[in-house]
């Protein structure tokens, strides 16, 4: 069965501040938690058409919907990137509005309706052709999300009506029909990755705007050409021998001719079949538009100093996909640091250029087979540290005054310089005598006031 996507019509409405009467009664629970909402993808479902006594069933429906999504490719490969939440808010009555075959209107929280824009299966909330008031639908969703989960990435409504239907747009909607899981999986393609419908049934007036998986280009230079084998004809005959290949199949975007899709069949055309390679690629790229694999790094400052004899240790924490690993490579001044492919990296100042600025860089990449075209580099993330290496202090000729002397050294701001002594070259350790902070100019240090045997002195940079 096929489901048409909601028409994205423009309504001229006045959006006023809205505080729904039941806002304080809405509750949110976590269905799946992998990490902080600030760093992970947050998928949230809201209840529509569930009475207060039916809200426990809503949590079951959310769990089932989540499981049907995160266990299929490519979502299963990144299931550990997602948190899933359920926002429960009661409706006065159960179900959703219907206008065919007979009119049956019910009092629900988001005022959802089937039969939108003349299509029985098109399930929407206001503003729509039945109710143009933003505050009756989208306004309530926006208010709840702002209050309970402002860091959401994808939001949808599960509508407690067994009639087949749904829609995709800013928010996805899916009924609790037996095919509801597949409806939701189709609609999230629209909402999350801006995929288009690949239906060839005419829909007069549908906006002629290309999506990642639809095009009017009938040449081999089509945007998904990286997936088309040289031996595949373009346009591609829609015959059984071509059902498994990627190509250019005529019929898409509610046009029988003149519009093309990437494959004979796809979840964006028919429920119950997998996403095609081009749609799966776009879903993965959309995941990496919303999440970055480097979760944290140390040192937190990307500009700092180390002494000429010091070491510097760098660490990153990365979020790995559920089914494949990320690659990590460290670079020193633009040169790959050999086998440095882990999350920890240590370097000695002697390995860096003295007296100037050095760059330490780490590059993390997802080499997933789901993506062949990544012009924006979404599967790559780089972190760079600019590191100042301190050269040995320049010591001027000592100024002698009896048994006393004074040394002058060139300094760099932010470093400490310590005058130390020991009585014999064979002594294992030095004793601090004076400390001075560098300011970028000359400082002077002296042994004035000390009495006793001859000593050895040096200046150490902390």
């Amino acid at each position: 069965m096929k489901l048409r996507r909601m028409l994205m019509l423009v309504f001229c409405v006045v959006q006023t501040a809205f505080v729904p009467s039941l806002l304080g009664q809405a509750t949110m629970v976590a269905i799946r938690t992998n990490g902080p909402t600030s760093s992970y993808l947050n998928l949230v479902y809201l209840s529509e058409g569930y009475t207060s006594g039916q809200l426990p069933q809503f949590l079951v429906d959310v769990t089932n919907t989540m499981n049907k999504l995160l266990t299929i490719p490519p979502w299963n490969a990144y299931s550990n990137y997602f948190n899933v939440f359920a926002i429960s808010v009661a409706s006065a009555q159960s179900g959703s509005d219907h206008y065919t075959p007979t009119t049956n209107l019910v009092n629900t929280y988001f005022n959802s309706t089937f039969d939108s824009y003349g299509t029985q299966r098109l399930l929407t909330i206001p503003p729509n052709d039945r109710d143009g008031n933003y505050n009756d639908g989208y306004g309530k969703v926006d208010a709840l999300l702002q209050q309970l989960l402002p860091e959401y990435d994808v939001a949808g409504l599960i509508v407690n009506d067994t009639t087949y239907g749904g829609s995709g747009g800013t928010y996805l909607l899916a009924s609790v029909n037996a095919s509801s899981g597949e409806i939701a999986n189709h609609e999230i393609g629209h909402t999350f990755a801006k995929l288009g419908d690949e239906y060839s049934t005419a829909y007069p007036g549908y906006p002629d705007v290309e999506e990642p998986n639809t095009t009017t280009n009938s040449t081999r230079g089509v945007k998904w050409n990286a997936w088309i084998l040289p031996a595949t004809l373009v346009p591609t005959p829609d015959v059984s021998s071509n059902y498994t290949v990627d190509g250019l199949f005529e019929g898409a975007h509610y046009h029988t001719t003149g519009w093309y899709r990437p494959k004979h069949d796809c979840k964006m055309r028919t429920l119950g079949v997998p996403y095609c390679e081009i749609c799966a690629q776009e879903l993965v790229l959309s995941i990496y538009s919303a999440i970055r694999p480097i979760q944290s790094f140390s040192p937190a400052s990307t500009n700092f100093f180390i002494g000429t004899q010091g070491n510097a240790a760098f660490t990153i924490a990365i979020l790995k996909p559920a089914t494949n690993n990320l690659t990590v490579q460290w670079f020193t001044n633009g040169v790959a640091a050999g086998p440095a492919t882990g999350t920890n990296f240590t370097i000695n100042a002697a390995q860096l250029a003295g007296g100037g600025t050095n760059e330490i860089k780490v590059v993390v990449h997802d080499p997933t087979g789901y993506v062949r075209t990544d012009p924006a580099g979404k599967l790559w993330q780089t972190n760079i540290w600019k590191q100042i290496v301190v050269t040995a202090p320049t010591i001027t000729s000592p100024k002698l005054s009896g048994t006393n002397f004074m040394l002058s050294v060139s300094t760099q701001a932010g470093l400490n310089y310590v005058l130390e002594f020991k009585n014999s070259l064979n002594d294992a350790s030095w004793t601090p005598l004076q400390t001075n902070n560098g300011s970028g100019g000359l400082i002077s240090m002296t042994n004035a006031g000390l009495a006793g045997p001859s000593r050895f002195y040096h200046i150490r940079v902390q």
Side-chain angles (χ1 to χ4, degrees):
M1 301 179 73
K2 301 176 182 178
L3 181 67
R4 291 192 174 100
R5 184 183 180 186
M6 181 177 67
L7 288 175
M8 302 304 292
L9 301 182
V10 178
F11 292 85
C12 182
V13 298
V14 177
Q15 297 186 8
T16 58
F18 179 75
V19 181
S21 59
L22 292 180
L23 187 60
Q25 299 180 26
T27 59
M28 184 176 74
V29 298
I31 304 297
R32 180 188 183 96
T33 302
N34 278 307
T37 56
S38 59
S39 302
Y40 283 66
L41 282 159
N42 302 302
L43 173 59
V44 57
Y45 296 99
L46 298 91
S47 61
E48 164 64 345
Y50 291 81
T51 63
S52 58
Q54 295 170 331
L55 288 177
Q57 180 59 41
F58 167 65
L59 299 181
V60 174
D61 293 339
V62 170
T63 302
N64 290 338
T65 301
M66 173 193 71
N67 289 338
K68 289 175 181 177
L69 176 70
L70 297 182
T71 56
I72 64 170
W75 301 98
N76 61 337
Y78 300 93
S79 59
N80 59 319
Y81 282 18
F82 283 85
N83 297 321
V84 181
F85 300 89
I87 293 179
S88 299
V89 59
S91 293
Q93 294 178 292
S94 177
S96 182
D97 289 350
H98 291 265
Y99 290 87
T100 57
T102 59
T103 299
N104 180 31
L105 306 182
V106 293
N107 183 5
T108 61
Y109 189 66
F110 297 106
N111 197 24
S112 63
T113 180
F114 288 83
D115 304 287
S116 299
Y117 306 101
T119 301
Q120 184 179 18
R121 298 169 179 173
L122 190 55
L123 176 59
T124 68
I125 60 173
N128 53 26
D129 61 330
R130 301 294 182 180
D131 179 354
N133 191 346
Y134 160 88
N135 288 336
D136 290 343
Y138 269 64
K140 293 182 178 181
V141 177
D142 291 343
L144 284 170
L145 292 174
Q146 183 60 39
Q147 181 197 42
L148 298 175
L149 192 63
E151 292 180 311
Y152 80 94
D153 294 286
V154 191
L157 282 72
I158 297 180
V159 182
N160 189 27
D161 193 303
T162 58
T163 303
Y164 178 92
S167 66
T170 303
Y171 306 121
L172 70 92
L173 281 82
S175 69
V176 292
N177 181 268
S179 300
S180 62
E182 274 296 289
I183 296 172
N185 293 348
H186 170 98
E187 299 303 344
I188 201 171
H190 297 311
T191 300
F192 186 62
K194 311 306 179 188
L195 298 175
D197 281 321
E198 298 180 8
Y199 310 141
S200 54
T201 304
Y203 198 130
Y206 194 79
D208 284 340
V209 178
E210 290 192 9
E211 298 101 347
N213 59 323
T214 66
T215 186
T216 58
N217 185 351
S218 61
T219 72
R220 190 169 289 275
V222 67
K223 52 196 167 187
W224 56 78
N225 64 343
W227 292 92
I228 302 176
L229 296 175
T232 302
L233 291 177
V234 172
T236 309
D238 197 0
V239 296
S240 59
S241 58
N242 288 330
Y243 283 179
T244 61
V245 305
D246 296 306
L248 205 60
F249 294 82
E250 192 167 26
H253 197 79
Y254 300 103
H255 293 79
T256 303
T257 60
W259 280 79
Y260 299 86
R261 63 189 190 276
K263 202 165 187 176
H264 164 70
D265 214 351
C266 171
K267 195 177 297 295
M268 300 311 296
R269 181 176 174 88
T270 306
L271 300 186
V273 302
Y275 294 104
C276 71
E277 287 78 5
I278 285 71
C279 290
Q281 172 178 272
E282 200 63 29
L283 289 168
V284 173
L285 291 174
S286 296
I287 287 173
Y288 280 110
S289 293
I291 197 170
R292 306 311 296 147
I294 299 179
Q295 298 285 287
S296 62
F297 57 87
S298 177
S301 173
T302 57
N303 294 273
F304 59 94
F305 305 114
I306 65 172
T308 53
Q309 302 303 313
N311 292 323
F314 303 86
T315 303
I316 58 171
I318 58 176
L319 178 56
K320 297 180 180 179
T323 61
N324 67 292
N325 289 320
L326 302 177
T327 64
V328 179
Q329 180 62 62
W330 295 86
F331 294 83
T332 303
N333 292 327
V335 178
T341 57
T343 55
N344 300 308
F345 179 61
T346 300
I347 194 166
N348 187 274
Q351 299 173 267
L352 298 171
T357 300
N358 292 270
E359 180 183 276
I360 301 298
K361 178 173 68 175
V362 63
V363 177
V364 177
H365 176 233
D366 184 349
T368 175
Y370 283 116
V371 177
R372 291 186 182 177
T373 305
D374 181 20
K378 294 180 180 180
L379 272 60
W380 300 79
Q381 187 179 3
T382 300
N383 202 69
I384 297 175
W385 292 263
K386 295 289 187 180
Q387 183 165 304
I388 308 299
V389 176
V390 180
T391 59
T394 300
I395 303 177
T396 63
S397 299
K399 296 180 179 179
L400 299 177
S401 177
T403 59
N404 298 327
F405 67 85
M406 181 172 64
L407 298 178
S408 296
V409 298
S410 299
T411 68
Q412 290 187 351
L415 300 177
N416 291 325
Y417 295 79
V418 183
L419 178 66
E420 297 178 327
F421 72 89
K422 61 182 180 180
N423 293 318
S424 168
L425 284 177
N426 295 325
D427 289 348
S429 60
W430 294 81
T431 301
L433 179 59
Q434 296 178 36
T435 300
N436 213 322
N437 294 325
S439 60
L442 288 174
I443 61 171
S444 297
M445 294 183 173
T446 180
N447 67 336
L450 283 184
S454 299
R455 293 183 173 96
F456 296 90
Y457 291 85
H458 75 182
I459 293 177
R460 179 173 61 85
V461 183
Q462 284 189 329

